[in-house]
């Protein structure tokens, strides 16, 4: 799952070292356009449904946080 | 009463003094009382609209909380219930969610409806009259111009945001109407924001805070800085920009561009100065308010500019308009179709661009009910979408030309380019009408008159040499402060840490500048905040 997520992230913004980032949202690394594109890609790739309620900085600040969100949403499906 | 009135000079210290005098538990009541006095001093009848908004959103919050509790309770005792035969948990949750959505929709319709009727009826009627005139009907609809309740555009968004946050589970509903009314009407932010979030501000208002001298000193610094921006700088800039925008037929070419650039800077000084005063007052009271500006003129793209300019409006539009639109089922369906038609990369962008255009259209009309504001919103959307589409082209062009996109020169170029684009947008927001904005833009690009920089044209606005020197000095100072802050420096904390003679020398110098060069004369009423009208 991690590899797939990193592949999506690297396709979205190749110049960012995602594994090293700790504040992708709070630090303004990803903007709202990136988030919308990312949500669409994650929904398709992991067969989940990320809602607006899930669009919290803490869910997208790090790769680990995103993995946690994906796992949580897969559990709910 | 405004921040610039004499009454406020009396009102503010008395409020602060009483706040720290009364017992902690009832300090929020004092703030509510002060906010009431502040609001009612502007208009008593129009306060009714604020009360309607506060009450309707408060009640909706309570209803949403009730549905949430009911849902949790039912799900907890799901096995015991015999009434839910045939209904699954998922169906029950969806039913409860529909109930909650209805509540949110009603509250949003009521409050945004009030805002729209008061703010846009005149615009709608006059536009319809113009359209009907083409068909031979003249003035079928009456001219309407409602008085706007103070801060309606700000408190409406803040209150509707609260309802949506309760719906989304991002904050709990308020149970005390008095406290909630304070959240909606808190006097430092009622005139022109920031548009605060309940989870960030409300608890700070309700708690009583102790007096803290270092914090109060930082707050006072910010207030002083805000007044200098407002009364010393904004007023002088407006003496140049007002004639250019009001009597635009008397000017041409580069004067227009200079006027637009200076007007943009003037709006920044005016609006951010107001924010500094609001944040400073709150800081003295122990309340930390969201920042609304983060040195926007250091932005390297228009998209970044909007993340640094009027941050709380941008965040509101992002969270409550752009995201819901972009992630909605219709937009998702549209995305699937456009991917088929235009390929994955382009197809994916189309619904996002459409959502952005609609969001910026709203940002535009939020500023005012006029076609020039519609154009202002669309201008920003067009530039941002083209910059996204052209980014690969810029990068490959820079690579071919051997320009490093990480170098300071490229960054400076990006900042200047952004400043230019922002300034062009100011033709729409500053002009008398859309027609005059377009006339000014046309002149700016068709008349080449560099002689204005040497023949004294720019010195003929009633300002003296001393005024220009003062403006240049303070603007450079502002730039220096901006650079320091961009590098992570904390200006106010640094000044507060200086030794007493230097620190107080600095404070007295600032007070002296304000006292000697601030505009308090007959033109005083012209010093109302530009954003107050929104």
């Amino acid at each position: 799952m991690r590899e797939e997520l990193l592949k999506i992230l690297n396709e979205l913004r190749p110049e960012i070292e995602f594994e090293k980032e700790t504040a992708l949202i709070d630090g303004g690394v990803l903007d709202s356009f990136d988030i919308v594109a990312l949500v669409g890609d994650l929904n398709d790739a992991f067969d989940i449904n990320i809602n607006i309620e899930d669009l919290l900085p803490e869910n997208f600040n790090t790769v680990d946080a995103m993995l946690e969100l994906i796992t949580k949403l897969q559990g709910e499906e | 009463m405004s921040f610039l009135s004499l009454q406020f000079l009396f009102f503010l210290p008395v409020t602060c003094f009483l706040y720290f005098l009364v017992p902690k538990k009832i300090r929020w009541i004092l703030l509510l009382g002060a906010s009431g006095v502040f609001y009612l001093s502007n208009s008593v009848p129009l306060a009714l609209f604020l009360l309607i908004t506060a009450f309707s959103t408060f009640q909706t919050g309570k209803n949403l909380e009730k549905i949430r509790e009911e849902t949790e309770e039912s799900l907890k005792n799901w096995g015991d219930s015999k009434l839910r035969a045939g209904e699954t948990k998922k169906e029950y949750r969806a039913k409860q969610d529909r109930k909650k959505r209805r509540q949110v929709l009603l509250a949003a319709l009521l409050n945004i409806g009030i805002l729209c009727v008061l703010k846009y009826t005149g615009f709608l009627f006059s536009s319809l009259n113009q359209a009907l005139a083409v068909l031979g009907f003249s003035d079928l609809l009456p001219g309407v111009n409602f008085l706007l309740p103070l801060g309606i555009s700000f408190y409406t968004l803040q209150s509707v945001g609260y309802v949506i946050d309760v719906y989304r589970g991002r904050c709990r509903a308020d149970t005390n109407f008095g406290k909630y009314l304070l959240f909606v009407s808190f006097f430092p932010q009622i005139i022109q924001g920031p548009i605060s979030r309940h989870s960030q501000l409300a608890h700070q208002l309700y708690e009583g805070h102790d007096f803290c001298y270092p914090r109060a000193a930082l707050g006072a610094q910010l207030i002083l800085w805000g007044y200098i921006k407002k009364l010393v700088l904004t007023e002088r800039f407006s003496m140049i920009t007002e004639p250019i925008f009001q009597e635009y037929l008397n000017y041409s070419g580069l004067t227009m561009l200079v006027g637009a650039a200076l007007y943009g800077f003037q709006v920044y000084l005016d609006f951010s100065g107001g924010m500094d005063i609001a944040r400073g007052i709150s800081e003295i009271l122990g309340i930390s308010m969201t920042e609304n500006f983060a040195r926007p003129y250091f932005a390297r793209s228009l998209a970044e500019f909007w993340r640094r300019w009027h941050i709380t409006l941008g965040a509101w539009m992002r969270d409550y308009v752009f995201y819901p639109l972009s992630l909605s089922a219709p937009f998702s369906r549209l995305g699937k179709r456009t991917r088929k038609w235009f390929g994955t990369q382009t197809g994916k962008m189309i619904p996002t661009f459409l959502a952005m255009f609609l969001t910026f259209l709203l940002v535009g009309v939020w500023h005012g009910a006029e076609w020039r504001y519609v154009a202002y919103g669309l201008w920003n959307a067009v530039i941002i979408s083209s910059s996204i589409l052209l980014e690969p082209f810029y990068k490959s062009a820079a690579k071919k030309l051997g320009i490093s996109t990480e170098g300071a020169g490229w960054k400076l170029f990006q900042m200047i380019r952004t400043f230019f684009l922002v300034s062009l947008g100011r033709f729409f927001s500053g002009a008398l009408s859309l027609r005059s904005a377009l006339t000014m833009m046309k002149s700016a690009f068709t008349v080449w008159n560099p002689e204005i920089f040497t023949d004294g044209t720019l010195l003929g606005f009633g300002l003296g040499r001393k005024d220009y020197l003062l403006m240049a000095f303070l603007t450079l100072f502002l730039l220096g402060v901006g650079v320091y802050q961009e590098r992570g420096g904390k200006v106010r904390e640094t000044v507060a840490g200086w030794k007493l003679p230097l620190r107080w020398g600095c404070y007295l110098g600032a007070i002296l500048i304000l006292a000697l060069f601030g505009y308090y004369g007959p033109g005083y009423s012209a010093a109302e905040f530009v954003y107050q009208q929104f």
Side-chain angles (χ1 to χ4, degrees):
Chain A
M1 189 190 282
R2 193 179 195 90
E3 283 72 35
E4 198 167 357
L5 172 62
L6 283 171
K7 196 179 148 211
I8 292 170
L9 290 169
N10 286 326
E11 272 172 20
L12 183 74
R13 295 284 297 273
E15 74 280 15
I16 298 169
E17 288 187 62
F18 282 96
E19 289 279 30
K20 286 186 184 167
E21 293 289 345
T22 53
L24 286 166
I25 306 298
D26 290 332
V29 181
L30 293 181
D31 63 21
S32 48
F33 262 67
D34 295 325
I35 290 295
V36 171
L38 180 61
V39 166
D41 290 344
L42 295 182
N43 283 345
D44 290 346
F46 298 102
D47 195 23
I48 51 175
N49 187 20
I50 299 174
N51 284 314
I52 301 163
E53 289 80 2
D54 303 313
L55 293 186
L56 298 169
E58 54 266 35
N59 285 338
F60 289 89
N61 266 333
T62 61
V63 171
D64 286 334
M66 286 184 230
L67 283 171
E68 207 172 300
L69 175 71
I70 295 165
T71 313
K72 190 189 105 187
L73 292 174
Q74 281 180 330
E76 281 177 13
E77 287 297 309
Chain B
M1 196 188 324
S2 84
F3 290 169
L4 306 169
S5 62
L6 273 178
Q7 298 101 300
F8 192 74
L9 274 183
F10 173 74
F11 169 85
L12 181 62
V14 170
T15 302
C16 292
F17 177 72
L18 290 176
Y19 180 80
F20 294 113
L21 191 72
V22 300
K24 260 189 183 180
K25 265 190 173 179
I26 60 163
R27 283 182 186 167
W28 71 268
I29 299 177
L30 189 108
L31 284 186
L32 178 63
S35 301
V37 170
F38 186 82
Y39 202 88
L40 293 172
S41 73
N42 287 288
S43 168
V44 175
L46 291 177
L48 182 67
F49 289 103
L50 181 125
L51 280 176
I52 293 172
T53 294
F55 185 73
S56 61
T57 48
F58 170 74
Q59 197 52 46
T60 306
K62 274 178 76 175
N63 295 346
L64 288 170
E65 197 71 44
K66 211 172 137 191
I67 300 171
R68 190 188 62 80
E69 281 168 8
E70 187 185 289
T71 313
E72 275 180 11
E73 189 66 23
S74 297
L75 289 172
K76 213 164 69 184
N77 305 313
W78 192 257
D80 304 336
S81 173
K82 292 192 174 106
L83 296 169
R84 306 202 183 280
E87 191 179 33
T88 64
K89 274 188 182 183
K90 201 176 172 183
E91 285 165 347
Y92 175 70
R93 269 202 211 102
K95 188 179 83 185
Q96 294 296 89
D97 198 49
R98 279 197 296 277
K99 264 194 207 173
K100 289 204 294 187
R101 276 170 197 248
R102 268 198 298 275
Q103 291 283 333
V104 175
L105 198 66
L106 271 177
L109 279 178
L110 172 71
N111 290 291
I112 305 278
I114 293 174
L115 175 67
C116 288
V117 168
L118 294 180
K119 199 165 168 176
Y120 304 113
T121 309
F123 170 63
L124 187 71
F125 280 14
S126 74
S127 300
L128 283 174
N129 273 339
Q130 280 173 13
L132 290 168
V134 178
L135 302 171
F137 303 100
S138 62
D139 293 337
L140 272 186
L141 297 163
V144 181
N145 194 9
F146 292 119
L147 277 176
L148 282 182
L150 184 70
I152 185 168
S153 303
F154 294 93
Y155 74 68
T156 302
L157 294 197
Q158 182 163 307
S159 309
V160 172
Y162 159 76
V163 168
I164 301 174
D165 280 354
V166 175
Y167 165 74
R168 290 180 181 172
R170 291 194 183 167
C171 71
R172 299 300 291 263
D174 250 320
T175 50
N176 182 322
F177 180 64
K179 287 183 174 176
Y180 179 71
L181 185 60
L182 171 61
F183 166 69
V184 177
S185 66
F186 184 45
F187 74 88
Q189 64 165 39
I190 193 73
I191 297 180
Q192 51 175 13
I195 303 162
S196 298
R197 300 296 168 93
H198 189 270
S199 53
Q200 190 273 330
L201 179 68
H203 66 96
Q204 295 192 70
L205 296 174
Y206 308 162
E207 290 159 8
H209 301 273
D210 286 323
F211 180 76
C212 167
Y213 175 74
R215 193 186 60 213
L218 292 182
Q221 270 192 42
L222 203 53
I223 294 175
L224 189 57
W225 184 225
Y227 276 115
I228 289 178
K229 275 183 182 172
K230 177 75 196 126
L231 291 171
V232 179
L233 277 173
T234 307
E235 280 298 293
R236 283 181 171 78
F237 276 103
S238 75
M239 286 175 76
I240 302 173
T241 58
E242 259 189 41
I244 297 177
F245 277 91
Q246 308 282 324
E247 301 147 26
Y248 63 97
L249 293 174
N250 296 338
Y251 302 93
S252 62
L254 289 172
T255 312
M256 301 296 199
L257 278 178
V258 171
L262 292 183
Y263 177 72
F265 197 56
Q266 174 197 328
V267 175
Y268 166 67
L269 291 167
D270 180 48
F271 194 10
S272 70
M275 285 300 108
D276 290 342
I277 298 170
R279 281 180 56 229
I281 295 168
S282 303
E283 209 160 320
I284 290 176
L285 297 168
I287 295 157
S288 159
M289 212 173 244
T290 318
E291 284 205 47
N292 226 2
F293 290 92
R295 301 163 297 285
Y297 282 107
F298 284 86
R300 287 157 58 193
S301 69
L302 197 58
E304 189 190 346
F305 179 86
W306 276 98
R307 289 195 292 277
R308 289 168 173 262
W309 172 276
H310 206 172
I311 296 167
T312 55
L313 176 69
W316 197 98
M317 290 290 172
R318 181 197 64 209
D319 289 350
Y320 305 121
V321 179
F322 178 73
Y323 280 152
L325 273 180
S326 308
L327 303 178
S328 66
F331 272 68
S332 171
R333 279 198 295 275
L334 175 70
K336 278 180 188 153
R337 277 185 204 161
T338 49
R339 274 186 229 197
K340 262 190 206 164
W341 296 336
F342 303 102
T344 312
Q345 284 310 316
T346 315
K348 216 161 56 174
M349 279 180 176
I350 291 172
T352 317
F353 278 0
L354 181 62
M356 184 190 63
F357 267 78
L358 290 171
T359 308
F360 268 109
L361 192 64
L362 279 184
V363 170
V365 292
W366 178 88
H367 281 82
E370 285 177 60
W371 286 110
R372 63 192 173 106
Y373 287 118
V374 173
Y376 177 60
L378 292 178
W379 162 261
N380 281 285
V382 167
I383 299 295
I384 291 175
S385 43
S386 23
S387 74
I388 292 170
L389 291 172
L390 291 174
E391 201 185 344
F393 166 76
Y394 283 137
K395 279 189 178 164
S396 81
K399 207 175 168 186
K400 275 181 193 161
L401 294 169
I403 301 168
S404 160
T405 51
E406 291 307 310
W410 180 258
K411 286 177 184 167
L412 187 65
F413 160 72
Q414 286 181 308
M415 278 182 212
I416 294 169
R417 184 184 61 185
T418 307
F419 177 73
F420 181 68
L421 292 171
V422 169
S423 300
L424 288 186
R426 289 294 168 205
F427 278 120
F428 297 115
S429 63
L432 294 171
S433 65
L434 178 58
R435 193 186 293 263
S436 59
L438 294 173
T439 309
M440 289 177 82
M441 278 179 118
K442 189 181 165 196
S443 170
F445 289 103
T446 51
V447 180
W448 177 247
N449 53 350
E451 65 275 10
I452 61 156
F453 295 107
T454 50
D455 67 2
T457 305
L458 295 178
L459 299 175
F461 292 100
L463 288 169
R465 195 165 160 266
K466 273 185 199 162
D467 292 304
Y468 283 106
L469 281 174
L470 183 70
M471 285 160 78
F473 167 73
L474 286 177
T475 305
L476 281 175
F477 183 73
L478 199 74
L479 183 71
V481 167
V483 170
Y484 184 65
Q485 288 175 322
E486 282 293 298
R487 291 179 176 174
K490 293 186 183 302
V491 179
R492 289 185 295 144
E493 284 79 353
T494 305
V495 174
W498 286 346
K499 284 191 176 160
L500 192 128
L502 185 59
R503 187 171 74 236
W504 272 95
C506 186
Y507 293 161
L508 290 174
I511 292 169
L512 206 63
I513 286 177
L514 184 62
L516 291 178
F517 303 113
Y519 272 85
Y520 308 98
Y524 179 59
S525 60
E528 289 301 324
F529 293 95
V530 172
Y531 261 71
Q532 185 170 324
Q533 62 178 310
F534 301 137

